Amino acid sequence: KQEVTQIPAALSVPEGENLVLNCSFTDSAIYNLQWFRQDPGKGLTSLLLIQSSQREQTSGRLNASLDKSSGRSTLYIAASQPGDSATYLCASSAGNKLTFGGGTRVLVKP
Amino acid sequence: NAGVTQTPKFQVLKTGQSMTLQCAQDMNHNSMYWYRQDPGMGLRLIYYSASEGTTDKGEVPNGYNVSRLNKREFSLRLESAAPSQTSVYFCASSDTGGSYEQYFGPGTRLTVT
């Protein structure tokens, strides 16, 4: 059974610092890996999706990498802003089923 | 383009009452999903529908039923609500044969007293 872990559970950084969020998974036979953002009381917003054949995906200040052999994905957010404060979730996909990590709650202090 | 919509946004039920959570998507996606999110447990799949006319159990299906009404709509029914079903419920949809990227609705916050 796939297990997805995100450590740390919470992170606080000063504005302008780069954010590094970690995601690890136990079964490397994944179809893709998806990163989401969740604001308090809201739904999940898809940030990036990395196919199993890809090493990384980029969107603006966001960059996500995938290393299937080591069972890891990392989300980098450059030059963090207070508006980046949210919970970030990763999820591995076996086709149409997602297994979620517990999330990392991020606070960016002005 | 509304994406995935869910109704209601909030609901309070008494133990034993029944209700149906509604979900609709306008992205012409084949697959739809119901998740619940609980503190300390993360997001867990309740049921999913890979295509119109099919439904399958997820990780935590007990106490729930689903109906894929058509390609757009996927409902979740609680026949006899229990306090353990207090949670936030999310519906999602994805295309198949491509990236399987899932798109989520805004959620329904359900409290069972």
Side-chain angles (χ1 to χ4, degrees):
Chain A
K1 180 186 172 186
Q2 177 75 283
E3 291 182 5
V4 180
T5 304
Q6 292 183 252
I7 296 173
L11 187 59
S12 178
V13 299
E15 182 178 1
E17 193 166 296
N18 295 334
L19 278 165
V20 180
L21 304 178
N22 299 307
C23 173
S24 61
F25 46 93
T26 54
D27 186 350
S28 62
I30 63 171
Y31 189 80
N32 63 42
L33 190 129
Q34 203 167 348
W35 282 94
F36 296 89
R37 169 185 172 136
Q38 186 176 29
D39 293 291
K42 304 291 185 185
L44 280 68
T45 300
S46 180
L47 296 174
L48 288 169
L49 181 145
I50 314 175
Q51 301 275 27
S52 63
S53 59
Q54 297 174 319
R55 286 282 192 153
E56 64 177 353
Q57 276 287 349
T58 298
S59 176
R61 292 185 296 114
L62 277 59
N63 174 277
S65 66
L66 176 65
D67 184 343
K68 282 176 53 179
S69 61
S70 67
R72 292 182 185 175
S73 177
T74 303
L75 178 66
Y76 302 90
I77 303 178
S80 62
Q81 303 167 359
D84 294 328
S85 298
T87 297
Y88 293 84
L89 296 144
C90 68
S92 71
S93 164
N96 58 9
K97 288 188 185 179
L98 289 181
T99 301
F100 282 86
T104 295
R105 191 170 65 253
V106 171
L107 175 63
V108 181
K109 297 179 181 176
Chain B
N1 189 337
V4 179
T5 57
Q6 293 182 236
T7 54
K9 286 188 168 54
F10 301 94
Q11 184 72 47
V12 179
L13 290 178
K14 290 189 164 78
T15 297
Q17 288 184 319
S18 62
M19 79 161 295
T20 299
L21 280 65
Q22 305 286 355
C23 174
Q25 53 92 9
D26 63 2
M27 295 174 281
N28 201 35
H29 285 164
N30 290 318
S31 299
M32 298 185 73
Y33 314 82
W34 278 106
Y35 294 88
R36 59 178 289 173
Q37 185 176 36
D38 303 290
M41 301 295 292
L43 274 139
R44 293 177 293 170
L45 182 65
I46 305 171
Y47 270 95
Y48 69 101
S49 170
S51 61
E52 189 177 352
T54 68
T55 60
D56 285 289
K57 295 178 181 179
E59 185 183 352
V60 288
N62 291 345
Y64 305 95
N65 286 303
V66 290
S67 295
R68 183 74 183 267
L69 305 170
N70 48 54
K71 191 171 186 180
R72 288 188 64 248
E73 298 171 292
F74 188 38
S75 63
L76 178 72
R77 183 160 178 84
L78 287 70
E79 291 290 352
S80 178
S84 61
Q85 294 178 305
T86 293
S87 187
V88 181
Y89 291 85
F90 290 102
C91 177
S93 70
S94 72
D95 205 348
T96 51
S99 68
Y100 288 98
E101 184 170 6
Q102 291 195 16
Y103 297 86
F104 281 73
T108 295
R109 190 172 296 272
L110 175 67
T111 302
V112 183
T113 60

